[in-house]
């Protein structure tokens, strides 16, 4: 069960004395955090709630609040937000002495204070403080979900929202959202407001969900491969008018062509799709989405490894020349696109 599903059972009445919300799936973590605060009835104007942003607050203020008595109830809720000191994040906000003081508090907590900690990221298990939290806290960890977990969660959520998807429309939603938790959640809200009858087609997803920069770069790549130069120029002009910089566009295209190249190499070595996911996961340090591999295989059909390598070289050269001020950015980017188009089949 996903952490966000498990945490849906929390209320102010059953909230544990010590609760920790953490995890490296940023999208799920943020949705879970907002959901939990709503479930426990958090109100900044309510004196029985105390909220501290650990990036900004003085620890003395936190410590004083933890041990002070509640005003109008038997218990009060103390919320420590962005507690990055217990994660593997390099940034630190508390001193060693302050962390030691917090450890001492956890060993002997106030019976009238319930403590809620939000710490986005991966817990630093080497820290004694984290070991204490793992021992004593109820922990909800937003781990990066598997594809089937994302499907199951959002299919349930869609049903609750009264949405019914045609054929492959739900798959289209997941792909369009990049299988990112927060993006899927946001796009479901778009669809809910767009189609009042709740019946969602693939065309609805195209019309209702705004194109991302990644979508536009994918379209640009396809136009270049099809040698539709005028349309590619129009798209680049639209993107730059929207404030996108050529260096950023090149970086995204490079990522796309690098994935194409990696997939092509693995395919020529005889690997299957599932083996490619594992191999790229080992190389990248994280498992790529299987759909990325599936579509990369489809898009590289008919493209040679030499062409992909040349395309990467053209983009890197353009990036270097832009950064060293050889010529105007728009000229160098357009030249790289023309070089790629001239080499495509």
């Amino acid at each position: 069960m996903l952490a966000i599903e498990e945490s849906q059972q929390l209320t102010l009445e059953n909230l544990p004395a010590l609760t920790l919300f953490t995890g490296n799936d940023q999208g799920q973590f943020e949705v879970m955090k907002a959901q939990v605060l709503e479930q426990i009835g958090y109100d900044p104007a309510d004196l029985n709630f105390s909220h501290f942003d650990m990036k900004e607050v003085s620890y003395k203020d936190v410590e004083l609040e933890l041990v002070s008595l509640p005003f109008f109830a038997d218990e009060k809720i103390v919320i420590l937000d962005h507690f990055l000191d217990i994660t593997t994040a390099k940034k630190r906000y508390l001193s060693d002495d302050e962390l030691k003081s917090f450890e001492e508090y956890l060993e002997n907590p106030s019976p009238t204070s319930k403590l809620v900690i939000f710490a986005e990221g991966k817990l630093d298990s080497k820290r004694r403080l984290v070991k204490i939290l793992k021992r004593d806290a109820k922990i909800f960890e937003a781990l990066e979900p598997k594809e089937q977990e994302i499907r199951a969660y959002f299919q349930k959520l869609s049903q609750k929202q009264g949405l019914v998807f045609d054929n492959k429309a739900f798959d289209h939603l997941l792909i369009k959202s990049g299988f990112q938790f927060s993006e899927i959640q946001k796009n479901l809200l778009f669809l809910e407001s767009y189609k009042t009858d709740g019946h969602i087609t693939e065309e609805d997803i195209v019309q209702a969900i705004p194109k991302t920069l990644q979508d536009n770069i994918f379209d640009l790549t396809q136009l270049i491969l099809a040698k539709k130069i005028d349309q590619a120029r129009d798209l680049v002009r639209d993107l730059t008018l929207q404030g996108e910089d050529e260096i950023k566009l090149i970086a995204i295209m490079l990522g796309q062509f690098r994935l194409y190249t990696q997939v092509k190499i693995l395919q020529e070595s005889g690997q299957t799709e599932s083996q490619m996911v594992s191999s790229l996961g080992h190389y990248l340090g994280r498992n790529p989405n299987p759909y990325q591999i599936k579509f990369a295989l489809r898009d590289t059909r008919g493209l040679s490894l030499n062409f992909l390598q040349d395309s990467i070289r053209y983009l890197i050269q353009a990036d270097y020349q832009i950064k060293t001020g050889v010529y105007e950015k728009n000229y160098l980017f357009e030249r790289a696109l023309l070089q790629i188009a001239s080499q495509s089949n």
Side-chain angles (χ1 to χ4, degrees):
M1 180 183 289
L2 295 175
I4 191 170
E5 293 179 283
E6 189 182 0
S7 66
Q8 286 171 348
Q9 309 305 316
L10 286 177
T11 63
L12 186 59
E13 288 70 30
N14 66 17
L15 187 68
L18 177 58
T19 317
L20 170 62
F21 300 89
T22 187
N24 53 14
D25 182 3
Q26 189 68 23
Q28 183 186 171
F29 177 88
E30 292 299 335
V31 175
M32 176 172 66
K33 176 177 167 181
Q35 172 183 284
V36 166
L37 290 175
E38 183 178 353
Q39 287 168 198
I40 65 174
Y42 168 66
D43 181 352
D46 188 335
L47 295 178
N48 286 314
F49 284 96
S50 297
H51 178 278
F52 296 96
D53 185 338
M54 300 303 288
K55 292 181 179 180
E56 301 174 356
V57 73
S58 164
Y59 177 70
K60 288 183 179 178
D61 293 336
V62 174
E63 192 168 51
L64 181 62
E65 188 63 32
L66 285 170
V67 298
S68 64
L69 294 173
F71 284 102
F72 306 112
D74 295 331
E75 295 177 321
K76 64 179 176 181
I77 313 298
V78 179
I79 300 168
L80 307 185
D81 205 356
H82 304 300
F83 202 155
L84 300 184
D85 291 78
I86 62 174
T87 72
T88 55
K90 293 181 181 179
K91 189 70 175 175
R92 289 284 178 261
Y93 298 96
L94 301 184
S95 68
D96 289 341
D97 287 342
E98 288 170 336
L99 290 171
K100 181 68 176 175
S101 293
F102 187 56
E103 287 177 15
E104 291 170 357
Y105 170 79
L106 292 179
E107 293 288 10
N108 186 28
S110 167
T112 58
S113 294
K114 286 189 174 183
L115 182 57
V116 176
I117 301 174
F118 292 107
E120 60 271 33
K122 182 177 174 58
L123 292 177
D124 186 350
S125 298
K126 295 178 182 178
R127 288 185 168 272
R128 182 171 182 272
L129 179 51
V130 171
K131 292 175 182 177
I132 294 172
L133 288 167
K134 285 186 173 182
R135 182 193 70 194
D136 296 340
K138 173 63 179 175
I139 299 177
F140 297 90
E141 187 173 10
L143 298 172
E144 192 153 337
K146 297 176 182 176
E147 182 188 330
Q148 58 266 34
E149 291 175 322
I150 285 183
R151 285 181 178 278
Y153 176 80
F154 283 106
Q155 281 171 343
K156 287 179 190 175
L157 184 59
S158 299
Q159 289 171 0
K160 285 182 182 177
Q161 293 176 318
L163 300 177
V164 178
F165 288 82
D166 272 357
N167 297 326
K168 296 184 178 180
F170 188 75
D171 284 345
H172 197 167
L173 168 67
L174 298 181
I175 295 163
K176 179 79 173 174
S177 306
F179 286 81
Q180 297 300 307
F181 204 96
S182 55
E183 285 299 307
I184 303 171
Q185 183 105 356
K186 180 177 70 178
N187 289 335
L188 278 176
L189 293 175
F190 276 129
L191 292 170
E192 188 178 15
S193 60
Y194 180 74
K195 287 297 288 285
T196 53
D197 64 359
H199 179 208
I200 307 299
T201 66
E202 286 192 70
E203 182 62 23
D204 293 330
I205 291 170
V206 172
Q207 294 295 327
I209 299 176
K211 275 195 171 186
T212 64
L213 182 55
Q214 292 280 357
D215 291 333
N216 283 311
I217 295 299
F218 175 79
D219 291 344
L220 177 60
T221 302
Q222 298 306 307
L223 290 172
I224 292 298
L225 294 178
K227 299 183 185 293
K228 296 179 179 179
I229 304 302
D230 288 339
Q231 290 173 256
R233 282 196 183 105
D234 289 342
L235 180 52
V236 171
R237 185 173 62 251
D238 289 344
L239 291 173
T240 53
L241 286 173
Q242 292 168 23
E244 302 295 350
D245 186 81
E246 284 87 351
I247 292 176
K248 185 176 180 181
L249 302 182
I250 288 173
I252 297 173
M253 285 192 78
L254 269 172
Q256 197 172 68
F257 275 102
R258 283 193 180 108
L259 177 62
Y260 287 171
T261 304
Q262 290 160 347
V263 165
K264 196 74 174 178
I265 291 170
L266 294 174
Q267 184 184 36
E268 291 184 357
S269 71
Q271 289 199 12
T272 64
E273 278 185 40
S274 59
Q275 288 172 327
M276 289 179 192
V277 172
S278 177
S279 296
L280 286 173
H282 178 73
Y283 171 71
L284 299 171
R286 57 174 177 78
N287 283 335
N289 192 289
Y291 270 86
Q292 286 181 296
I293 308 303
K294 183 185 294 290
F295 290 118
L297 282 169
R298 181 199 66 188
D299 296 335
T300 53
R301 196 174 296 127
L303 301 179
S304 70
L305 187 56
N306 283 339
F307 164 74
L308 294 171
Q309 291 170 332
D310 285 342
S311 298
I312 290 174
R313 187 168 63 252
Y314 294 140
L315 291 167
I316 290 174
Q317 185 180 48
D319 181 68
Y320 174 76
Q321 291 179 334
I322 288 172
K323 289 175 179 175
T324 53
V326 175
Y327 292 112
E328 290 293 324
K329 291 189 289 186
N330 58 350
Y331 165 76
L332 290 168
F333 184 40
E334 183 171 319
R335 188 180 71 171
L337 297 181
L338 289 171
Q339 287 173 317
I340 294 170
S342 67
Q343 296 294 320
S344 65
N345 296 330

